Amino acid sequence: MAMLNKLLLILALALGNTNSWLPLVEPQVVIDCDDDETGYISSGETDEYMLSATNGDLVWIRVFSTDIALNPRVQVFSPGNVLMGTWQANPAGFVEIPNFALNQGSGQYRITVSDGIGNQAGSYSISVQIYN
């Protein structure tokens, strides 16, 4: 499998197209306490947010789809890139993660937003509050 990936990379570079077979991940956006951000997810895309936190901080994360087709999925990763949890939107397109403990050390936690179905596109808003 590794050899196939190398061959695909060489072919993509030769053709001048390196995005056609790589997963779509938007550049990371820094999100601060009490920030509200908006985003747009294209089909198959994942948006990433970086949150600086201290070990033991409690967060409240809210993601709301502003497009009926988008069914947001939220994942939180530790500073060591360990998946801490996955949440899927309710039928109204809302994900709420209250009282979530960031207990995997101090540093940059990664929050990803994608479409839970995998092939939908749409706009959303995300807000994060840190409290203790």
Side-chain angles (χ1 to χ4, degrees), residues 23-87:
L24 296 173
V25 177
E26 285 295 302
Q28 297 172 343
V29 174
V30 174
I31 192 165
D32 294 317
C33 177
D34 296 325
D35 260 4
D36 293 315
E37 297 282 338
T38 58
Y40 182 84
I41 297 174
S42 298
S43 179
E45 182 180 79
T46 298
D47 287 353
E48 293 188 348
Y49 296 89
M50 299 304 291
L51 175 68
S52 182
T54 301
N55 189 50
D57 280 347
L58 294 175
V59 294
W60 197 308
I61 302 169
R62 294 178 184 94
V63 175
F64 180 72
S65 172
T66 55
D67 284 320
I68 195 162
L70 184 64
N71 184 11
R73 176 178 53 211
V74 177
Q75 294 183 303
V76 176
F77 295 84
S78 73
N81 205 34
V82 174
L83 177 63
M84 297 177 66
T86 300
W87 296 265

Side-chain angles (χ1 to χ4, degrees), residues 13 27 29 32 71 75 82 86 93 96 98 119-120 128-129 132:
L13 291 171
V29 174
D32 294 317
N71 184 11
Q75 294 183 303
V82 174
T86 300
E96 186 166 31
N119 61 354
Q120 300 297 315
V128 177
Q129 285 81 39
N132 290 320

